[in-house]
Amino acid sequence: MNTLKEMDTIPALKPITAAWITGLLNKPDDLSGLLEKWGSPVNIHHTASFEQNYEEYRQVFEELDLDHLVFFARKANKCKGFVTKAKKMGIGVDTASLEELAQCLEAGIAPEKLVVTAAVKNRELIKLALHNRVLVIVDNEDEAHQIQAMAEELGSYAKIGIRISGFFYEGEKLYSRFGFDIEEVEGFLRNRVGEGKSLSRLQYSGLHFHLNGYSTDQRSVALIQSMELAKRLQAHHFSTQFIDIGGGFLMNYLESREQWLKFQEELRAAVSLKRPPITFGNDGLGFSLIDGKIQGGLNTYSFWNDTCKSGFLKKILSYSLPDGTDIASMAKQLNIQIRMEPGRSLLDQAGITVSRVAFRKKDSRGDWLIGLEMNMTQLYSSSADFLLDPYVINKETLSDAEAVGVYFTGAYCLERDIVLKRKISLPQLPAIGDLVVFINTAGYMMHFFESNAHLFPLAVNLFVKEETFGSPLTDFEED
Ligand SMILES: *Cc1c(COP(=O)(O)O)cnc(C)c1O
């Protein structure tokens, strides 16, 4: 058999692992106890990491002496625990639905620290926002009229920002299905918004954008074009108090760039049939073999990044125009507050998912399948796959163990319920009851797409109680 040789070449992708996680990995009995109590899988969260991530952003703004407000994009994680933490930290929360907004208000977050950016805003959401004087980001004219109608009904006014898109970048317009085209905003505000006009109850206060993708240059250029628009609006007495640059701040999941490059090289080789598969069914994750040639690109998040979080923000804000003026000076000169709405990156190292092994079997291709007490929606990426090696905690370490490559499979009765599409190399075959720990899953991964098909209950979400971190079981509270 060539298995050992093959095992050696299954590329690893070792995740950056915060100290609190390593601490838990070293307490396998406590972790097993949690799963006995709460079922499998459980999601465990840690708000101190969330706070640290915010601190990084805050420092960048402080260094540049910029007026700023950071909103946590709530949609990246459903737990209330981060809302409570955001309140304690005095940061804002970006809400994208009625329920998200209602929870934040109930948690006592000040209305001026909230924003509604929901893609679809129903009457109830608009009503709640207006009633509490929460800023609403307007996406289109129909929405503006619905807000006007609700304000009339309530006898109130609506504090609004305008979402814009269609920025010019390298000679072309950046497409987005969201927002007003930047070229239409001036006319819209001048002709429609304000006293004596059809949208008399809308009070303009700022501009907002959220770009798809992860380009800092595009964000810089969009911010400059927004500031230029703000200047033109000022001439017509529309005062821009803030520009919100949205989210999409890259983070880094991996320890090694070499591993990241090696993985892609091996994946291309596997898809070209030059080596044994390293993904389930030789899934190319975006690469495919057409007419003997490898086509396409990796269709996943870029799990390795050198410019991330605060470095990413710094790069956006330190962009200079050909005449030497930079973004930070422009914003200060215009007296504009810079806002941002990071979701994923504020949750860096803030959560893990722990699951239990139910069975092992060999499939007809000869691959080991490790059945987990969880399903694919409990670790589901909006891109092709989540590419980090999990940690496996073996109850018993075997002295005569052989390395093995495995696929983790889930509990839904679907062929496609493969929890990770990557083949994972392990020092020994996991046993029933062993734990599999997925790192850094708090941002989008653990429950953004979670469903309860088969009536499986949703995973329980626990938070590490910061003040008592260190003693068993009582360390955690349910969200
Ligand atoms: C999704 C979203 C965010 C957060 O994006 P991240 O990639 O999680 O940082 C912020 N603002 C808006 C409007 C969004 O749609």
Side-chain angles (χ1 to χ4, degrees):
M1 290 228 322
N2 65 351
T3 39
L4 257 186
K5 240 172 99 192
E6 185 194 321
M7 284 322 103
D8 289 343
T9 67
I10 293 177
L13 289 173
K14 191 160 189 276
I16 296 172
T17 307
W20 73 271
I21 301 171
T22 318
L24 282 181
L25 293 174
N26 290 329
K27 290 178 163 183
D29 293 342
D30 287 9
L31 283 180
S32 288
L34 289 179
L35 270 73
E36 267 155 42
K37 181 164 181 197
W38 302 105
S40 171
V42 292
N43 297 314
I44 305 176
H45 300 83
H46 184 251
T47 56
S49 304
F50 179 75
E51 186 163 16
Q52 261 168 30
N53 294 327
Y54 166 66
E55 267 309 303
E56 269 201 29
Y57 286 131
R58 194 187 61 79
Q59 271 170 26
V60 173
F61 286 118
E62 299 282 318
E63 274 165 30
L64 295 168
D65 189 28
L66 274 175
D67 184 16
H68 61 277
L69 187 53
V70 175
F71 293 80
F72 166 51
R74 173 81 204 272
K75 72 159 191 266
N77 187 292
K78 289 177 184 165
C79 292
K80 263 193 237 171
F82 291 115
V83 171
T84 327
K85 185 69 179 181
K87 181 178 179 243
K88 276 192 203 142
M89 287 157 56
I91 67 169
V93 182
D94 160 25
T95 66
S97 72
L98 174 65
E99 202 52 42
E100 283 189 5
L101 177 61
Q103 263 189 7
C104 288
L105 288 166
E106 271 162 36
I109 298 197
E112 62 273 17
K113 294 275 172 71
L114 291 172
V115 59
V116 175
T117 61
V120 169
K121 304 174 184 74
N122 62 20
R123 270 179 55 88
E124 289 71 26
L125 174 57
I126 295 171
K127 190 172 181 177
L128 188 66
L130 265 50
H131 190 73
N132 289 281
R133 292 239 1 111
V134 172
L135 174 69
V136 180
I137 301 299
V138 182
D139 178 85
N140 59 69
E141 283 200 41
D142 275 354
E143 207 172 85
H145 285 283
Q146 283 164 288
I147 295 169
Q148 167 75 15
M150 181 58 75
E152 285 172 9
E153 214 176 297
L154 297 175
S156 65
Y157 287 83
K159 204 161 75 163
I160 62 141
I162 304 281
R163 180 155 178 174
I164 45 179
S165 58
F167 300 100
F168 282 95
Y169 181 73
E170 295 184 334
E172 282 182 36
K173 273 174 96 68
L174 292 178
Y175 176 78
S176 169
R177 78 177 176 95
F178 297 107
F180 286 77
D181 189 293
I182 186 164
E183 293 163 90
E184 289 173 3
V185 174
E186 193 181 337
F188 171 72
L189 286 175
R190 287 179 62 187
N191 298 326
R192 302 290 190 80
V193 176
E195 284 276 337
K197 290 178 261 182
S198 59
L199 299 167
S200 58
R201 288 172 180 267
L202 270 52
Q203 297 170 328
Y204 168 77
S205 60
L207 300 169
H208 173 283
F209 62 80
H210 170 75
L211 301 186
N212 199 20
Y214 298 99
S215 158
T216 58
D217 273 4
Q218 286 183 3
R219 284 173 171 75
S220 300
V221 165
L223 182 47
I224 288 170
Q225 287 172 22
S226 301
M227 288 195 281
E228 283 163 355
L229 172 61
K231 269 193 232 170
R232 295 196 300 276
L233 293 176
Q234 189 62 54
H236 300 287
H237 311 291
F238 286 99
S239 160
T240 303
Q241 289 146 37
F242 67 85
I243 296 174
D244 187 331
I245 62 175
F249 293 77
L250 277 177
M251 58 182 254
N252 181 29
Y253 287 88
L254 292 174
E255 278 192 357
S256 153
R257 177 170 187 264
E258 284 64 43
Q259 283 190 351
W260 178 238
L261 297 177
K262 177 79 176 159
F263 165 72
Q264 292 178 65
E265 193 187 308
E266 295 294 328
L267 180 61
R268 279 193 297 264
V271 174
S272 313
L273 310 176
K274 291 177 186 147
R275 61 148 296 155
I278 56 169
T279 51
F280 191 78
N282 208 13
D283 189 323
L285 307 177
F287 291 115
S288 54
L289 192 66
I290 300 171
D291 296 333
K293 270 199 180 153
I294 199 94
Q295 311 267 333
L298 189 67
N299 184 18
T300 69
Y301 189 81
S302 174
F303 287 89
W304 194 88
N305 294 291
D306 54 356
T307 304
C308 54
K309 290 201 294 197
S310 58
F312 193 90
L313 176 64
K314 211 181 278 181
K315 203 162 164 217
I316 296 171
L317 297 176
S318 49
Y319 184 97
S320 295
L321 291 169
D323 70 3
T325 45
D326 63 289
I327 285 187
S329 327
M330 253 177 111
K332 268 184 271 190
Q333 202 194 350
L334 293 168
N335 209 8
I336 284 175
Q337 180 182 64
I338 302 294
R339 298 183 173 183
M340 65 190 285
E341 299 165 346
R344 184 194 292 265
S345 61
L346 277 187
L347 296 166
D348 187 14
Q349 298 294 334
I352 60 174
T353 300
V354 188
S355 180
R356 199 160 46 199
V357 173
F359 64 79
R360 306 82 45 87
K361 71 188 264 192
K362 250 189 184 172
D363 69 7
S364 58
R365 293 180 187 134
D367 282 319
W368 276 108
L369 306 183
I370 308 298
L372 295 180
E373 289 182 49
M374 68 183 287
N375 65 71
M376 64 186 202
T377 70
Q378 293 169 321
L379 190 75
Y380 200 72
S381 170
S382 61
S383 68
D385 203 12
F386 182 59
L387 297 178
L388 308 186
D389 290 348
Y391 290 90
V392 176
I393 304 179
N394 303 117
K395 281 197 295 207
E396 204 179 329
T397 309
L398 305 175
S399 53
D400 58 346
E402 275 188 34
V404 62
V406 307
Y407 292 111
F408 293 103
T409 61
Y412 281 180
C413 56
L414 299 169
E415 290 289 355
R416 60 186 283 246
D417 192 354
I418 309 298
V419 177
L420 298 177
K421 294 192 184 83
R422 272 178 68 229
K423 190 178 243 185
I424 304 295
S425 176
L426 299 174
Q428 72 180 51
L429 189 69
I432 295 168
D434 282 358
L435 300 182
V436 180
V437 184
F438 301 95
I439 305 299
N440 224 342
T441 58
Y444 296 106
M445 298 306 308
M446 58 174 57
H447 51 207
F448 191 86
F449 289 105
E450 189 182 16
S451 65
N452 66 338
H454 305 358
L455 296 184
F456 285 127
L458 302 181
V460 167
N461 290 293
L462 301 177
F463 277 76
V464 174
K465 273 197 201 164
E466 284 167 60
E467 61 275 21
T468 60
F469 187 44
S471 53
L473 278 186
T474 50
D475 283 346
F476 303 94
E477 56 198 344
E478 198 181 355
D479 187 59

